[in-house]
């Protein structure tokens, strides 16, 4: 699946926008706001306190996508479609949202301080003991 490659690297906090197609977005090590928009997008927010918003289509690894917050206290939201929302960096406090669709919300990163909110749909989640899991997260992984 073809992807546009978008790199956010101006050296300071910035807003980085995806396209209406399938994107591969990599942000800086600073705090960034990343708007993936439509398409099956793969986002690696890297470091900093990031905001990552998916778009109208599923951001799922099965279609070349997925939303990763990276190190730092991040907010990652899947939006519409079937999304994979995760933050694999430990020692931070992340807020992970699936929103609409059948999502995989993955907070299993060893830090026990994340909030998982799966949204509507039939969702699967992974967590650490100590993570806060909202009632709308139906199926543990």
């Amino acid at each position: 699946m073809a992807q546009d490659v978008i790199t956010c690297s101006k050296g300071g906090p910035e807003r980085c926008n995806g396209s209406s197609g399938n994107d591969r977005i990599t942000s800086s090590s600073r705090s960034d706001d990343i708007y993936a928009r439509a398409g099956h997008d793969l986002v690696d927010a890297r470091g900093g306190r990031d905001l990552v918003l998916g778009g109208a289509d599923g951001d799922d690894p099965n279609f070349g996508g997925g939303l990763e917050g990276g190190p730092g206290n991040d907010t990652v939201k899947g939006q519409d479609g079937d999304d994979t929302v995760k933050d694999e960096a430990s020692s931070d406090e992340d807020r992970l949202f699936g929103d609409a669709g059948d999502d995989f919300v993955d907070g299993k990163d060893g830090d026990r301080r994340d909030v998982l909110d799966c949204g509507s749909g039939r969702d699967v989640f992974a967590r650490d003991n100590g993570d806060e899991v909202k009632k709308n997260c139906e199926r543990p992984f």
Side-chain angles (χ1 to χ4, degrees):
M1 180 171 288
Q3 292 181 317
D4 295 322
V5 177
I6 299 169
T7 304
C8 311
S9 60
K10 293 181 181 171
E14 66 180 289
R15 178 181 173 135
C16 188
N17 293 310
S19 70
S20 60
N22 302 325
D23 302 316
R24 176 181 295 268
I25 302 171
T26 304
S27 81
S28 72
S29 60
R30 307 218 183 217
S31 299
D32 300 307
D33 292 346
I34 303 165
Y35 299 88
R37 298 192 174 169
H40 302 291
D41 302 310
L42 178 64
V43 176
D44 180 1
R46 299 183 67 197
R49 183 182 202 121
D50 301 305
L51 171 65
V52 178
L53 298 177
D57 298 308
D59 299 313
D60 181 309
N62 293 324
F63 299 101
L67 307 173
E68 162 70 45
N73 299 333
D74 304 310
T75 299
V76 184
K77 294 185 176 187
Q79 309 278 34
D80 296 335
D82 300 340
D83 304 304
T84 295
V85 177
K86 62 184 178 176
D87 191 300
E88 295 177 342
S90 60
S91 302
D92 55 9
E93 297 178 29
D94 304 304
R95 299 180 52 79
L96 307 175
F97 298 87
D99 282 352
D102 299 336
D103 306 307
F104 178 49
V105 179
D106 185 359
K108 192 161 185 71
D109 57 6
D111 60 27
R112 301 181 174 123
R113 297 183 296 190
D114 301 323
V115 176
L116 284 64
D117 187 336
C118 296
S120 60
R122 292 195 36 85
D123 306 302
V124 176
F125 69 94
R127 69 178 188 105
D128 296 311
N129 288 334
D131 285 346
E132 179 183 342
V133 178
K134 301 295 183 178
K135 291 181 182 179
N136 58 12
C137 295
E138 296 89 6
R139 300 178 292 163
F141 181 72

